Amino acid sequence: MSRTPDLAPEQAPAAPARAPRQRIQRRPVHGVLLLDKPLGLSSNDALQKAKWLLRAEKAGHTGTLDPLATGLLPLCFGAGTKFSQVSLDADKAYEAVLQLGVKTSTGDAEGEVLQRRPVDVTREQIEAACAAFTGEIDQVPPMHSALKHEGKALYDYARQGITIERPARRVTIHRIDILDWQDGEIQQLRIAVRCTKGTYIRTLGEDIGERLGCGAHLSALRRTGSGPLRVEDAITLDALAAMSEDERLALLRPPDSLLQDWPALRLDADEAGRFLSGLRRRVAAADAGQVRVYGPEPQAFLGSAHVKAGELIADRLLSPQEVQSLLAGPGT
């Protein structure tokens, strides 16, 4: 029986050469990108993809969307990250689909079915149930959430079968509109919700289901608004990837787009320089908790501040370099 002789090391076939890993040359990029997050992708994964496409040095998002949720995810780059908290604190708008009659372990379509109940409700009963949760309410955060307990996300405890006691949190549901009610075999309820930050729509859906006596879980969720920003103005990752680099940069909104519903104050060149150094300035303006401040040039956004007793007091300032970069254009 013949045997193929072993190859000496010098005779062994060479391993195929690996293509060198492409290195991305990062650069300062300043502004806000409105992204329409796709289904199945985490908010951080979506951020990293957009950051790579823009070759941005610094980036952050303004409020987590679960992988099962889609819709508006404002992404902040460079100087824009200084004002991301404004979008985090803003009221939110959602469209949600509730599957009535089925309660799951997670409150959404990913969980195991815990209970099935018959659905026998009228539109009037649905309207009354939604009205019962409009206004200020107390919500207990779900165990399957990113809320932290002793430095660990609640969903990590939930996956181990551990339940942590969670105090109720006060949120405000500004309005709930019924968009569609499919009776019969489907038994799905589609609603539009406007609410304050920190509202858990899956918990709201479960509570509405219990109010109706049949239970419910969240089968789909789409964020449609955050403060003054709307999903209609957002772009998908696929569309962003298909663009040229200049087209991507042109999509960036200035950082003050997050503050567009705040009153504005404009300073002359001397006062603008002093303001940027952190000095309080005397202004002829009424007290205000939130203002956006500009220099003499129309687009010279300097930062955020508040006015108290005739003094303009800085809260978040851009650096002079950031101001100049924004005046020159995104990515410069």
Side-chain angles (χ1 to χ4, degrees):
M1 182 176 175
S2 62
R3 181 177 180 274
T4 303
D6 292 336
L7 294 175
E10 61 271 14
Q11 296 175 297
R18 280 187 181 180
R21 188 173 180 179
Q22 185 180 7
R23 294 184 63 85
I24 299 298
Q25 186 66 40
R26 302 286 183 178
R27 59 184 172 177
V29 173
H30 304 289
V32 178
L33 178 71
L34 303 188
L35 186 71
D36 188 344
K37 190 191 83 66
L39 187 69
L41 206 62
S42 74
S43 294
N44 187 60
D45 285 343
L47 169 68
Q48 295 307 321
K49 288 179 182 294
K51 183 180 178 183
W52 185 85
L53 288 169
L54 286 165
R55 298 196 290 118
E57 288 179 345
K58 184 178 181 182
H61 63 70
T62 64
T64 301
L65 279 176
D66 290 340
L68 285 181
T70 67
L72 181 63
L73 184 65
L75 305 180
C76 297
F77 297 91
T81 61
K82 294 183 176 181
F83 308 97
S84 59
Q85 190 65 41
V86 176
S87 191
L88 282 166
D89 292 340
D91 286 351
K92 305 295 189 293
Y94 298 93
E95 286 187 9
V97 178
L98 310 183
Q99 179 65 56
L100 301 186
V102 182
K103 183 175 181 178
T104 70
S105 57
T106 59
D108 61 21
E110 276 197 322
E112 297 179 3
V113 173
L114 299 179
Q115 189 179 39
R116 295 183 185 272
R117 283 183 270 177
V119 180
D120 183 18
V121 298
T122 64
R123 185 181 178 90
E124 289 73 23
Q125 289 173 319
I126 292 172
E127 290 174 349
C130 290
F133 293 101
T134 304
E136 286 193 353
I137 63 171
D138 290 324
Q139 260 195 351
V140 176
M143 275 301 301
H144 287 269
S145 70
L147 196 65
K148 296 291 179 65
H149 174 75
E150 295 182 350
K152 189 175 175 181
L154 286 180
Y155 57 71
D156 287 330
Y157 292 101
R159 289 167 183 166
Q160 299 172 46
I162 301 171
T163 299
I164 304 296
E165 186 175 349
R166 293 97 62 205
R169 297 167 19 158
R170 179 61 57 96
V171 298
T172 300
I173 310 294
H174 298 300
R175 62 182 296 162
I176 303 175
D177 294 315
I178 299 171
L179 302 179
D180 189 29
W181 160 232
Q182 297 183 18
D183 202 351
E185 292 185 7
I186 299 177
Q187 296 174 336
Q188 285 187 337
L189 171 64
R190 188 162 65 95
I191 58 176
V193 182
R194 284 200 60 83
C195 56
T196 54
K197 70 166 185 174
T199 301
Y200 288 97
I201 304 299
R202 80 170 76 184
T203 300
L204 177 65
E206 288 184 303
D207 290 344
I208 289 173
E210 291 304 314
R211 186 87 178 187
L212 291 170
C214 60
H217 71 268
L218 187 69
S219 63
L221 180 65
R222 181 167 176 77
R223 186 191 284 160
T224 57
S226 177
L229 308 176
R230 295 291 172 264
V231 73
E232 290 82 4
D233 300 318
I235 188 168
T236 65
L237 278 173
D238 287 344
L240 189 68
M243 290 180 168
S244 69
E245 192 165 89
D246 287 344
E247 288 173 328
R248 293 169 193 160
L249 289 173
L251 287 174
L252 289 175
R253 297 173 171 223
D256 56 326
S257 62
L258 298 175
L259 288 59
Q260 61 187 274
D261 51 356
W262 293 14
L265 278 176
R266 191 169 297 281
L267 304 175
D268 62 30
D270 289 340
E271 289 293 278
R274 295 184 180 99
F275 175 76
L276 276 181
S277 69
L279 296 176
R280 298 186 178 198
R281 312 312 307 145
R282 297 296 302 178
V283 291
D287 284 5
Q290 298 171 323
V291 294
R292 48 197 167 104
V293 184
Y294 297 85
E297 298 91 344
Q299 304 303 319
F301 176 56
L302 307 180
S304 63
H306 61 280
V307 181
K308 184 175 181 181
E311 281 193 322
L312 180 66
I313 305 167
D315 292 322
R316 299 288 289 174
L317 292 172
L318 272 66
S319 69
Q321 293 79 13
E322 289 169 338
V323 174
Q324 290 304 315
S325 292
L326 288 167
L327 287 172
T332 57

